[in-house]
Amino acid sequence: MIPIMKPNLSGNELNYVSNCVESEWISSQGYYVTKFEELVGEYIGSPYAVAVSNGTVALHLALVSLGVGDKDEVIVPDMTFASSVNAVLHAGATPILVDVDKDTFNICVSEIQKAITKKTKAIMPVHLYGNPCDMDAINEIAKEHGLLVIEDAAEAFGSEYKGKKVGALSHASTFSFYGNKTITTGEGGIIIFKSKEVYEHACMLRDHGMRKDRRYWHDYVGYNYRMTNLQAAIGVAQMERIEKIIERKVAIAKYYLERFEDIREIKMPKLDFENSLNTYWLFTFLLSESTNREDFRKYLTDKNIETRPTFISAHDMPPYTDFKRGNLSNSKLISQKGLSIPSYIDLQVNDLEYIADQIANYFHK
Ligand SMILES: *Cc1c(COP(=O)(O)O)cnc(C)c1O
């Protein structure tokens, strides 16, 4: 079976993890954590990077560090991984689920406008499957209403919006380094802050809310959200070849895009901002109304090609039904018709040809 995704650990990963074990620095202090924060911060474009244990706590810590909590509303796209919505609830705030654009799969700017109330404190755009959101438009609305913007960039490491890396376009952004993400640390996440003050506050909250200048003195009820040296060691090795990884992701997407151009039944997410880049975390498209997704998936499974349906629209699941706002029909459509196909960087040219051939054959192209 050709899997949908798998990590590539072919560089210094083993070497650096061995260093941790040999040096006995296996917990959250040690060389690699700081190094990883530096490398990611430099790559994204901010010196204020905080490495944490996973992408979900990254979102939670970003929200609480910025003061989002009780009685606040946070506008979140209905089409996302549940983690985005959960983090808002964990912070004690209320998620407001709005529709996405059916051409980009990303949060719909006019729906954000409509969902703003006196209680709105923040907007959380999610760069879904690697496709950058319209950050200029979102930041403009935020500015007009005095709102915070927190990018959930878990799926968009390396993606660009108008010449800048996503993750550097808001008050705080988060990435996930789960095993199937663009780069991995096994489990892991990072927050990129704009403000030094908020960054310092987050560092303290990550470490039990303990003061830096007075050990075992706590001004806040903090968390233990630290990343281990072992995780960071893998991350540092991944960052050493980040340009190659992104290049390969983009080349795979380009191949599929060309092959599927003439297939009417396949619709790709749009990206029409200049100097922008979708890094296609998972190569994902919409099937036409008349294509039965389950039949298509079964056909590909029989050809040993793994596929993955898109996320389920959040408002359709029991914990989130109360939070929907407005018409969520695009989210529902993407939920029912979206599909991801294999796009990990070790796919060989013959694998790509095989996958594209099978798909083309299904639609008789
Ligand atoms: C993966 C992911 C997360 C959470 O990451 P974990 O590291 O698995 O906790 C959050 N948001 C989105 C959109 C994701 O895809």
Side-chain angles (χ1 to χ4, degrees):
M1 188 65 98
I2 303 174
I4 194 92
M5 199 59 175
K6 62 176 179 177
N8 172 300
L9 305 171
S10 64
N12 277 318
E13 282 82 354
L14 185 58
N15 183 16
Y16 293 168
V17 169
S18 298
N19 284 348
C20 295
V21 174
E22 278 158 12
S23 68
E24 299 170 349
W25 287 99
I26 56 170
S27 206
S28 53
Q29 288 180 37
Y31 167 80
Y32 292 110
V33 178
T34 320
K35 185 73 193 166
F36 185 57
E37 289 176 335
E38 274 171 24
L39 289 172
V40 174
E42 212 169 283
Y43 181 72
I44 301 299
S46 162
Y48 307 125
V50 183
V52 293
S53 26
N54 61 63
T56 305
V57 303
L59 280 168
H60 180 238
L61 187 58
L63 289 162
V64 297
S65 301
L66 285 161
V68 176
D70 208 19
K71 299 195 177 64
D72 293 332
E73 291 180 351
V74 180
I75 298 173
V76 184
D78 188 57
M79 170 50 51
T80 182
F81 182 47
S83 170
S84 322
V85 191
N86 291 345
V88 174
L89 288 163
H90 291 321
T94 304
I96 301 296
L97 302 170
V98 305
D99 208 7
V100 293
D101 188 293
K102 74 177 184 328
D103 294 327
T104 64
F105 308 176
N106 281 331
I107 194 162
C108 182
V109 173
S110 60
E111 293 301 312
I112 296 176
Q113 286 274 20
K114 283 191 238 162
I116 291 173
T117 68
K118 281 202 181 74
K119 290 185 181 166
T120 309
K121 175 90 172 199
I123 306 168
M124 184 191 284
V126 180
H127 307 291
L128 206 71
Y129 298 114
N131 200 27
C133 295
D134 188 355
M135 292 308 294
D136 280 352
I138 292 167
N139 282 327
E140 199 171 307
I141 297 175
K143 207 169 165 192
E144 195 182 311
H145 295 271
L147 307 176
L148 295 163
V149 179
I150 295 134
E151 291 164 80
D152 180 348
E155 303 178 358
F157 201 81
S159 292
E160 291 170 23
Y161 174 78
K162 298 187 182 173
K164 280 194 188 141
K165 290 263 170 10
V166 308
L169 306 163
S170 57
H171 298 95
S173 69
T174 65
F175 293 96
S176 163
F177 305 120
Y178 183 66
N180 69 6
K181 291 283 159 62
T182 304
I183 63 163
T184 186
T185 60
E187 293 277 356
I190 209 163
I191 315 164
I192 308 291
F193 287 103
K194 190 185 253 175
S195 140
K196 181 164 184 248
E197 257 184 313
V198 184
Y199 158 78
E200 283 170 352
H201 187 52
C203 289
M204 185 181 55
L205 290 177
R206 170 179 62 176
D207 194 12
H208 303 286
M210 191 156 51
R211 242 155 84 167
K212 245 189 175 166
D213 55 352
R214 189 173 173 197
R215 279 192 80 67
Y216 306 109
W217 178 269
H218 301 260
D219 283 319
Y220 295 92
V221 180
Y223 314 93
N224 176 357
Y225 281 175
R226 296 178 308 239
M227 176 181 270
T228 66
N229 207 37
L230 287 160
Q231 291 168 284
I234 295 175
V236 169
Q238 298 262 295
M239 283 305 291
E240 286 176 349
R241 48 184 203 288
I242 187 62
E243 305 295 347
K244 278 228 168 70
I245 292 171
I246 299 297
E247 211 173 273
R248 188 70 200 128
K249 290 289 290 175
V250 172
I252 288 169
K254 198 164 165 239
Y255 176 80
Y256 281 142
L257 286 170
E258 276 167 18
R259 289 292 309 267
F260 301 153
E261 201 171 51
D262 297 330
I263 304 181
R264 247 185 325 110
E265 291 87 349
I266 288 178
K267 207 176 114 207
M268 297 304 309
K270 250 178 36 193
L271 171 65
D272 36 37
F273 314 117
E274 57 192 39
N275 292 322
S276 299
L277 181 73
N278 181 348
T279 49
Y280 296 91
W281 164 53
L282 294 180
F283 191 86
T284 304
F285 49 75
L286 276 193
L287 292 166
S288 66
E289 286 285 345
S290 59
T291 307
N292 181 307
R293 184 171 68 178
E294 283 322 299
D295 290 349
F296 183 54
R297 291 192 67 200
K298 188 172 175 316
Y299 162 86
L300 290 173
T301 307
D302 290 343
K303 309 277 183 205
N304 290 319
I305 299 166
E306 191 189 15
T307 58
R308 204 177 99 163
T310 30
F311 298 113
I312 296 167
S313 36
H315 77 279
D316 276 330
M317 296 183 278
Y320 315 115
T321 47
D322 289 348
F323 306 122
K324 61 179 177 194
R325 282 297 181 285
N327 182 343
L328 298 168
S329 57
N330 293 338
S331 171
K332 189 127 193 156
L333 175 79
I334 294 164
S335 172
Q336 289 168 343
K337 291 292 179 186
L339 195 70
S340 307
I341 61 172
S343 50
Y344 57 93
I345 60 169
D346 286 326
L347 279 169
Q348 302 300 306
V349 174
N350 58 324
D351 299 323
L352 288 170
E353 275 171 10
Y354 173 75
I355 296 166
D357 285 347
Q358 301 313 313
I359 291 175
N361 287 343
Y362 188 82
F363 298 111
H364 314 293
K365 295 278 166 171

